[in-house]
Amino acid sequence: MSASVWSMRFWGVRGSFPCPGATTARYGGNTPCVSLEGPGPSLILDAGTGIHACGHALLERTEGPGTIDVILTHTHWDHIMGLPYFEPLYREGWTVRIHGPRPETRSLRDVIHALWEPSVFPAVPVADLQVVELRDDDFAIAGWRIRSYAMHHPGRTLGYRMERPGVRPVAYLTDNELEKPEEPAGSQWRVGLVDFLRGVGTLVHDTMFTDAELETRHGWGHSSPDAAVRLAAEAECRELFLFHHDVEKDDVAMDTVVRSTRLFAAGIAPGLSVDPTIEGTTLGLEDT
Ligand SMILES: [Zn+2]
């Protein structure tokens, strides 16, 4: 086993808006933020409210100033609302690069800089804040080879596959509707998505609504745990992590979702391990 361990840390796993409190304390209430950490620079995925704690931890363990890369899946509130509270932005000498797809109606730069418009936020970043619109679907950031795939979600949203030597490839697909009624099972998009995931060991996927809840929520851009299991099985992933938890599901309801998803997975993909993402936990990504 290599000494240079890379891991994935979950700082925020909740969809839509933060829901802190006693009934959601076990799974966590912060909105999406995940980091890839190891001996090199960290890579941060999404800037939900989880990025606040991520920023503090990063400053604590890094001899700064340095450069931090943040990749956004899209610019809906829950994925960017933590950015004004990302401490490295208020440290002289640091560089923070925000990468992401161009939103539908304005440039990514416009959307990001609007977070500090004086009528909604009083402070001004002193770090070098750079905003980079992703133009290619295969690129390298912070030592990772990253490929993107267009998600089924209102607005422009990308899912990412990340790999580097010695690490089992990992995919982060959130805010994605896998089984739209108008999307036939063998569609080009679906076949392309399965191809995109080939060789991925760890799949983190949006599982916000159950199949029953989705009956009235088609077009919202989210998936059920069972649909994510079907995808992970088809792409032959080794482990599936449920993500972007519904704010309406407290810890007890989440326990039920996890139990029923494991039961479903045992029936169609006995080799697939299924776990929920839990705020504050770390997942080792060594290639074994
Ligand atoms: Zn979201």
Side-chain angles (χ1 to χ4, degrees):
M1 188 176 285
S2 160
S4 51
V5 178
W6 282 89
S7 60
M8 187 172 216
R9 187 161 174 85
F10 299 104
W11 302 94
V13 297
R14 194 66 64 163
S16 301
F17 56 87
C19 59
T23 60
T24 54
R26 272 196 291 119
Y27 287 84
N30 279 299
T31 69
C33 179
V34 172
S35 63
L36 294 174
E37 297 176 4
S42 299
L43 177 66
I44 300 172
L45 299 156
D46 278 330
T49 56
I51 203 172
H52 171 71
C54 174
H56 282 289
L58 197 148
L59 287 173
E60 243 169 58
R61 69 162 189 277
T62 314
E63 263 188 57
T67 297
I68 302 169
D69 288 292
V70 180
I71 305 186
L72 304 176
T73 54
H74 64 311
T75 53
H76 286 171
W77 271 123
D78 48 332
H79 299 258
I80 61 169
M81 60 169 64
L83 261 187
Y85 308 96
F86 187 49
E87 189 60 26
L89 284 167
Y90 305 98
R91 298 291 178 95
E92 292 277 1
W94 285 79
T95 298
V96 178
R97 288 192 295 235
I98 313 286
H99 312 259
R102 183 183 173 85
E104 272 187 324
T105 55
R106 329 161 54 177
S107 71
L108 182 61
R109 188 188 151 77
D110 278 358
V111 174
I112 296 303
H113 280 267
L115 294 168
W116 284 274
E117 203 278 317
S119 57
V120 296
F121 199 75
V124 178
V126 298
D128 179 12
L129 171 58
Q130 301 176 8
V131 180
V132 186
E133 285 184 359
L134 295 170
R135 304 203 181 278
D136 300 318
D137 57 8
D138 191 344
F139 50 94
I141 296 177
W144 293 88
R145 181 190 178 191
I146 304 172
R147 278 176 270 178
S148 68
Y149 197 82
M151 300 286 92
H152 275 164
H153 192 71
R156 280 204 191 97
T157 304
L158 295 177
Y160 299 110
R161 170 193 175 126
M162 291 141 295
E163 50 194 283
R164 69 189 301 151
V167 175
R168 79 178 172 269
V170 53
Y172 174 71
L173 311 187
T174 189
D175 299 66
N176 186 33
E177 188 164 348
L178 282 169
E179 295 174 2
K180 296 171 85 167
E182 65 273 28
E183 186 74 50
S187 76
Q188 209 182 349
W189 179 84
R190 173 70 178 208
V191 170
L193 180 60
V194 172
D195 271 354
F196 174 74
L197 291 175
R198 287 273 175 231
V200 163
T202 304
L203 170 62
V204 177
H205 201 284
D206 174 334
T207 53
M208 193 174 188
F209 299 122
T210 63
D211 281 324
E213 290 164 344
L214 277 173
E215 298 271 313
T216 54
R217 292 173 174 86
H218 283 300
W220 289 24
H222 298 288
S223 292
S224 73
D226 290 3
V229 166
R230 282 189 283 271
L231 175 67
E234 209 177 327
E236 297 174 346
C237 299
R238 195 198 303 178
E239 49 189 10
L240 169 67
F241 282 84
L242 316 180
F243 188 72
H244 204 275
H245 309 319
D246 180 10
V247 291
E248 304 298 342
K249 294 187 180 72
D250 63 12
D251 290 337
V252 176
M254 281 302 305
D255 287 343
T256 304
V257 167
V258 172
R259 256 196 317 274
S260 68
T261 309
R262 282 179 173 152
L263 208 59
F264 178 72
I268 69 158
L272 178 68
S273 88
V274 175
D275 287 292
T277 52
I278 295 175
E279 184 178 319
T281 61
T282 301
L283 165 69
L285 291 176
E286 272 175 302
D287 205 3
T288 50

